[in-house]
């Protein structure tokens, strides 16, 4: 019986026969992955040229980094305060127009 015949309707006037039971697959124990063939004796991967030793990085000026970070924090907070103040003024203007 083909795969499509299983799903086909029975002809008109005939009683539907129960579908045949599927054949149970033969269970074979799993023997694992097939063994690979070992490489030939003395085989080695191609040798790549060794990279040179890394350079020494310049000493960091931690005090300057801290000063610049503090200045950036002050600028960011200042811009946030300014934007908040502008929004409050705009909100007051809009609410004032609605109420008065």
């Amino acid at each position: 019986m083909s795969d499509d015949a299983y799903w086909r309707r029975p002809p008109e006037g005939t009683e539907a026969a129960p579908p045949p039971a599927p054949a149970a697959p033969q269970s074979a124990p799993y023997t694992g992955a097939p063994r690979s063939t070992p490489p030939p004796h003395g085989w080695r991967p191609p040798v790549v040229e060794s990279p040179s030793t890394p350079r020494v990085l310049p000493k960091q000026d931690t005090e300057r980094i801290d000063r610049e970070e503090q200045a950036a924090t002050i600028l960011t907070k200042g811009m946030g305060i300014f934007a908040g103040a502008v929004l409050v003024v705009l909100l007051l203007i809009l609410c004032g127009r609605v109420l008065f």
Side-chain angles (χ1 to χ4, degrees):
M1 178 182 285
S2 69
D3 290 342
D4 291 335
Y6 178 80
W7 297 105
R8 198 170 290 144
R9 288 182 178 219
E12 289 294 325
T14 61
E15 191 174 316
Q26 296 179 358
S27 70
Y30 181 67
T31 58
R35 296 175 78 52
S36 61
T37 57
H41 183 70
W43 177 86
R44 294 280 180 255
V47 178
V48 179
E49 192 174 317
S50 300
S52 60
T53 57
R55 299 177 310 216
V56 177
L57 295 174
K59 188 86 171 149
Q60 290 184 347
D61 187 1
T62 55
E63 291 177 10
R64 180 179 171 200
I65 292 173
D66 290 339
R67 283 193 312 267
E68 289 178 0
E69 189 173 318
Q70 185 180 15
T73 302
I74 291 171
L75 177 68
T76 303
K77 288 181 180 177
M79 289 177 66
I81 291 171
F82 177 74
V86 168
L87 287 175
V88 167
V89 169
L90 287 175
L91 185 64
L92 289 174
I93 291 171
L94 288 174
C95 289
R97 287 186 147 206
V98 170
L99 296 176
F100 299 109

